[in-house]
């Protein structure tokens, strides 16, 4: 099996939790090392790999793929360096801080003939995969509206300075927002227009921490919400059609298990525990049904396998840079809508 030599640009929470375990587990990747500015933490978990002192040192090494998992405000600068060095790249969300930056990276990757993917891992959450199946099976009839939530109860400001200082990459719109927007675009396509309300609700916060985004389709509406003052969560996914409804609470277990140090596998990984199933209430073949729907298995491994196949077999990236560009277009439209208090036509 062809090995893709891969390096991380940081080994904080995202590198340790979301990337390294899957790169180590997938037989097609060789995790070579990580850029670490101060502490050499990666060698505590993977003793035989490198800790690079600078990004230049990393890019001069025999590396095929670089994971750009640094703060959002640095994504454009580092991804551009990676592509100019002739390496494939995976960039975490938010892809960039602007549409212009995203477009430049899309064009550069195409010019260089390199693969550029955005790490929208939440497409492979168990709860979202189940919602996707319900939508694709068309068991709700013609869709009327959908509402997706990424809610938390956490009034305390993050200790990570880059997340709480006013900068072009900070705020919930570019943190949780890209997950919700990407899922909506993946299921329903690109909307005609956008309206958004963006607020600061936490005491002493300098960045947005509450969003309400409305996506307009010709005969369909999608509402996307996220905030930090939801002690009793709404269903994460609500989809209503002319024949019925589907409600699903957030229940994917992967992040929690990865934080506990559990390692991914291809058998039991990503299976939700019983009791968190979605509720389907609809009409099928003239019969009204109201029943719990078994949750599909989630697995972020499939994202990494998609990256592997895209590089080795020249298939489409699992989440393309053009899809990342579309998410940035929605984010910019949301910012403009909030500032002008009006609907923005795309």
């Amino acid at each position: 099996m062809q090995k893709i030599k891969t390096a991380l640009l940081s080994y904080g929470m995202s590198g340790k939790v979301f990337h390294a375990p899957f790169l180590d587990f997938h037989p097609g990747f060789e995790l070579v090392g990580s850029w670490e500015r101060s502490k050499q933490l990666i060698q505590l978990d993977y003793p035989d790999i490198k800790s690079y002192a600078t990004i230049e040192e990393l890019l001069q090494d025999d590396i095929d793929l670089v994971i750009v998992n640094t703060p959002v405000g640095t994504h454009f600068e580092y991804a551009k360096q990676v592509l100019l060095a002739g390496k494939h790249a995976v960039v975490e969300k938010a892809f960039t801080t602007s549409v212009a930056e995203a477009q430049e990276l899309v064009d550069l990757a195409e010019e260089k003939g390199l693969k550029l993917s955005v790490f929208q891992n939440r497409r492979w959450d168990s709860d979202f995969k189940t919602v996707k199946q319900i939508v694709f099976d068309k068991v709700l009839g013609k869709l009327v509206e959908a509402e997706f939530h990424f809610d938390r109860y956490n009034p305390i400001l993050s200790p990570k300075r880059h997340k709480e200082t006013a900068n072009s990459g900070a705020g919930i719109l570019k943190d949780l927002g890209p997950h919700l927007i990407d899922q909506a675009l993946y299921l329903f396509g690109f909307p005609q227009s956008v309206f958004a309300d963006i607020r600061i609700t936490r005491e002493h916060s300098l960045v947005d921490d509450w969003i309400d985004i409305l996506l307009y389709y010709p005969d369909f509406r999608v509402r996307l919400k996220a905030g930090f003052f939801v002690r009793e969560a709404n269903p994460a996914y609500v989809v209503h059609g002319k024949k019925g409804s589907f409600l699903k609470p957030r229940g994917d277990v992967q992040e929690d298990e990865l934080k506990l140090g559990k390692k991914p596998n291809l058998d039991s990984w990503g299976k939700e525990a019983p009791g968190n199933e979605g509720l389907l209430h609809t009409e099928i073949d003239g019969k009204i049904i109201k029943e719990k729907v078994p949750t599909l298995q989630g697995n972020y491994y499939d994202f990494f396998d998609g990256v592997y196949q895209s590089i080795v077999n020249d298939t489409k990236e699992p989440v393309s840079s053009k899809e990342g560009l579309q998410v940035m277009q929605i984010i910019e439209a949301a910012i403009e809508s909030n500032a002008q208090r009006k609907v923005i036509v795309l």
Side-chain angles (χ1 to χ4, degrees), residues 1-32:
M1 190 176 206
Q2 181 178 336
K3 291 279 190 177
I4 298 174
K5 295 181 178 180
T6 306
L8 305 167
L9 286 195
S10 71
Y11 196 67
M13 194 276 279
S14 73
K16 182 181 179 70
V17 170
F18 289 113
H19 297 289
F22 293 96
L23 294 169
D24 184 56
F25 174 62
H26 193 294
F29 292 99
E30 179 186 343
L31 182 56
V32 177

Side-chain angles (χ1 to χ4, degrees), residues 94-122:
F95 183 25
T96 57
T97 64
S98 71
V99 170
E101 289 179 348
Q103 186 66 64
E104 185 172 341
L105 292 181
V106 169
D107 294 342
L108 182 58
E110 289 184 352
E111 175 190 329
K112 296 286 187 180
L114 295 166
K115 297 295 182 179
L116 175 60
S117 186
V118 183
F119 187 59
Q120 291 287 2
N121 58 309
R122 299 293 178 177

Side-chain angles (χ1 to χ4, degrees), residues 92-340:
E92 284 198 337
K93 55 79 196 167
F95 183 25
T96 57
T97 64
S98 71
V99 170
E101 289 179 348
Q103 186 66 64
E104 185 172 341
L105 292 181
V106 169
D107 294 342
L108 182 58
E110 289 184 352
E111 175 190 329
K112 296 286 187 180
L114 295 166
K115 297 295 182 179
L116 175 60
S117 186
V118 183
F119 187 59
Q120 291 287 2
N121 58 309
R122 299 293 178 177
R123 289 192 192 181
W124 288 270
D125 278 357
S126 55
D127 37 43
F128 178 71
K129 286 181 67 176
T130 307
V131 173
K132 179 181 74 171
Q133 189 66 57
I134 291 292
V135 171
F136 285 8
D137 284 348
K138 300 181 178 179
V139 295
L140 305 179
K142 187 174 180 62
L143 297 181
V144 175
E145 64 172 319
E147 186 166 321
F148 294 175
H149 285 251
F150 210 134
D151 295 325
R152 294 172 173 171
Y153 185 81
N154 185 14
I156 307 301
L157 302 186
S158 171
K160 297 179 180 179
R161 186 175 179 183
H162 67 271
K163 287 196 170 187
E164 298 293 356
T165 55
N167 65 78
S168 59
I172 200 170
L173 178 62
K174 291 180 180 174
D175 183 16
L176 300 181
H179 289 313
L180 295 167
I181 295 167
D182 178 74
Q183 289 180 342
L185 300 191
Y186 180 66
L187 286 187
F188 310 121
F190 201 70
Q192 293 179 324
S193 52
V194 175
F195 180 78
D197 189 9
I198 304 170
R199 300 166 59 202
I200 295 176
T201 61
R202 295 171 302 162
E203 189 175 359
H204 305 305
S205 178
L206 300 176
V207 301
D208 58 270
D209 55 23
W210 184 94
I211 54 173
D212 185 355
I213 301 171
L214 189 60
L215 306 181
Y216 292 78
Y217 295 84
D219 53 0
F220 181 63
R221 300 289 182 269
V222 178
R223 171 161 262 122
L224 309 174
K225 297 193 67 175
F228 289 119
F229 285 104
V230 184
R231 195 183 288 273
E232 185 64 32
N234 299 286
Y237 302 94
V238 177
V239 186
H240 298 298
K242 292 192 172 180
K243 288 191 175 181
S245 303
F246 184 67
L247 286 71
K248 175 71 178 79
R250 190 168 299 281
D252 189 85
V253 300
Q254 294 181 83
E255 180 175 350
D256 288 341
E257 294 197 339
L258 288 165
K259 286 179 176 178
L260 292 173
K262 296 183 180 180
K263 300 300 183 183
N265 61 68
L266 296 180
D267 179 26
S268 59
W269 183 260
K271 289 184 178 179
E272 287 188 21
N276 215 19
E277 295 83 2
L279 175 64
L280 176 65
H281 189 180
T282 192
E283 177 184 342
I284 299 178
D285 296 330
K287 181 181 179 181
I288 302 297
I289 64 167
K290 186 176 182 180
E291 62 185 20
K292 297 284 188 176
V293 174
T295 304
L296 297 178
Q297 182 178 356
N299 202 334
Y300 300 152
Y301 178 94
D302 293 336
F303 171 85
F304 291 93
D305 190 57
V307 171
Y308 179 83
Q309 297 300 331
S310 73
I311 294 173
V312 172
N313 297 317
D314 196 26
T315 58
K316 181 179 179 292
E317 300 95 329
V319 183
S320 71
S321 57
K322 290 182 179 178
E323 291 173 302
L325 171 64
Q326 287 189 325
V327 171
M328 292 311 304
Q329 289 173 323
I330 300 299
I331 287 175
E332 278 201 0
I335 294 171
E336 183 181 356
S337 172
N338 180 70
Q340 299 188 25

Side-chain angles (χ1 to χ4, degrees), residues 21-85:
F22 293 96
L23 294 169
D24 184 56
F25 174 62
H26 193 294
F29 292 99
E30 179 186 343
L31 182 56
V32 177
S34 177
W35 177 20
E36 297 189 90
R37 295 149 191 78
S38 54
K39 301 175 183 178
Q40 296 183 348
L41 298 177
I42 196 167
Q43 292 172 340
L44 297 176
D45 296 326
Y46 306 96
D48 297 328
I49 70 175
K50 300 178 184 179
S51 178
Y52 298 97
T54 66
I55 187 173
E56 289 76 17
E57 180 187 352
L58 183 153
L59 293 177
Q60 288 168 6
D61 205 353
D62 183 18
I63 300 292
D64 304 307
L65 170 68
V66 177
I67 312 295
V68 182
N69 59 323
T70 50
V72 174
T74 67
H75 285 180
F76 171 72
E77 175 191 352
Y78 293 150
K80 185 174 181 178
Q81 282 185 255
V82 168
L83 295 171
L84 288 172

